[in-house]
Amino acid sequence: MRIAVLFKEVPDTYGERELNLETGLAVRTGDNVADEAVERAVEAALTIAEATGGEVELLSVAPASADANIRKGIAMGAENAHIVSDDSLIGADFTLTAEVLAALVRREEYDLVVAGNVSSDGAGGVIPTMVAELLDWPALTNLTKVEVAGSTVTATRASDGATMELSAELPAVISVTDAFPDARFPNFKGLMAAKKKELDTLTLADLGIDANDFAPARAIVVEASQRPPREAGTLIHDDGTAATQIADFLAEKKFI
């Protein structure tokens, strides 16, 4: 079984985040890390591979500078990584990103694609489903458990109101939630192997994709502005009537 993980590098969740007001894009010159949801997806994929005798590879749309974080996934146990790095992808929307990832999946002929359910930067949560749509594969998303037996994947999706048991025939796309275990720590052997691994880097031309072809619907930034400063809140000084003032304030805002 050949398993692909959709790998994404994101700005460090605990670092400062800034928006470039000229481009409307996040400034990514600071500390960048592998997305936490992606690390769980890698762990899920490796667990499935170990149970089925399969192998895991990483697929990423990323700048060349993302190599170090992608190699972390290889150090964990992935066999290889395929990276599409192209200046035309700067500021790529969900549609173009999904198109590129789907092309990579077709090129490498995988049986299963694993992704995190939502990234920590854009938080769109749509890429796994869009990739599945482009491939015409079943999509099992927002999963808390998953197993693969033969040519069938079975999974559990839990929400606030219900738990669903899902199944689909391979090939398929799945996305996992933070209910899955944290990523394993790479061992020394894995780190050394990842350091020497020659990554497969491609451009859009290699995949036959034109970023300026707007026949598929694409989203573009038309305006960006700084978020306005927050207005000062209402201060309540307790002179014996604080409870009444709070109740009146909540009633005015229609909270009660």
Side-chain angles (χ1 to χ4, degrees):
M1 172 180 288
R2 302 193 71 235
I3 305 171
V5 178
L6 305 186
F7 195 97
K8 186 177 186 182
E9 181 186 73
V10 297
D12 190 346
T13 306
Y14 302 101
E16 292 293 328
R17 302 211 178 177
E18 184 181 350
L19 190 70
N20 184 318
L21 298 182
E22 292 185 4
T23 64
L25 304 177
V27 176
R28 296 178 180 266
T29 55
D31 293 332
N32 296 308
V33 297
D35 191 19
E36 292 179 13
V38 163
E39 291 185 336
R40 287 192 174 89
V42 174
E43 179 63 35
L46 291 171
T47 300
I48 294 170
E50 290 163 357
T52 61
E55 63 178 29
V56 176
E57 295 187 342
L58 311 177
L59 307 183
S60 186
V61 176
S65 58
D67 280 13
N69 283 315
I70 292 172
R71 289 182 188 279
K72 180 180 178 182
I74 294 176
M76 287 171 59
E79 295 290 331
N80 201 357
H82 305 278
I83 310 163
V84 182
S85 185
D86 195 302
D87 288 344
S88 297
L89 286 168
I90 296 175
D93 68 342
F94 293 134
T95 303
L96 179 55
T97 301
E99 185 180 347
V100 173
L101 291 170
L104 273 179
V105 174
R106 290 192 199 95
R107 179 177 181 266
E108 300 298 327
E109 299 183 350
Y110 296 103
D111 302 295
L112 180 68
V113 174
V114 186
N117 65 318
V118 61
S119 65
S120 64
D121 57 349
V126 297
I127 289 294
T129 302
M130 294 178 76
V131 170
E133 176 68 17
L134 291 169
L135 296 170
D136 195 24
W137 289 7
L140 283 64
T141 58
N142 206 39
L143 305 181
T144 57
K145 293 180 181 178
V146 64
E147 292 182 0
V148 175
S151 62
T152 303
V153 55
T154 58
T156 301
R157 175 191 292 155
S159 66
D160 292 339
T163 298
M164 292 181 284
E165 300 300 323
L166 311 173
S167 67
E169 292 300 304
L170 298 176
V173 178
I174 65 173
S175 67
V176 302
T177 67
D178 58 8
F180 277 74
D182 291 337
R184 65 191 67 183
F185 289 103
N187 57 32
F188 180 75
K189 181 179 178 181
L191 290 169
M192 294 305 297
K195 186 176 180 180
K196 298 176 182 177
K197 177 70 70 172
E198 183 175 349
L199 306 182
D200 179 28
T201 302
L202 305 98
T203 65
L204 289 182
D206 295 323
L207 299 174
I209 295 176
D210 181 4
N212 296 314
D213 177 10
F214 286 88
R218 304 215 194 281
I220 59 173
V221 177
V222 296
E223 183 180 353
S225 59
Q226 188 71 38
R227 183 175 61 185
R230 295 181 61 180
E231 297 180 0
T234 301
L235 296 177
I236 295 178
H237 301 283
D238 191 3
D239 57 1
T241 64
T244 301
Q245 292 182 63
I246 292 173
D248 290 344
F249 175 81
L250 294 174
E252 179 186 348
K253 301 298 182 182
K254 301 188 184 302
F255 291 136
I256 59 174

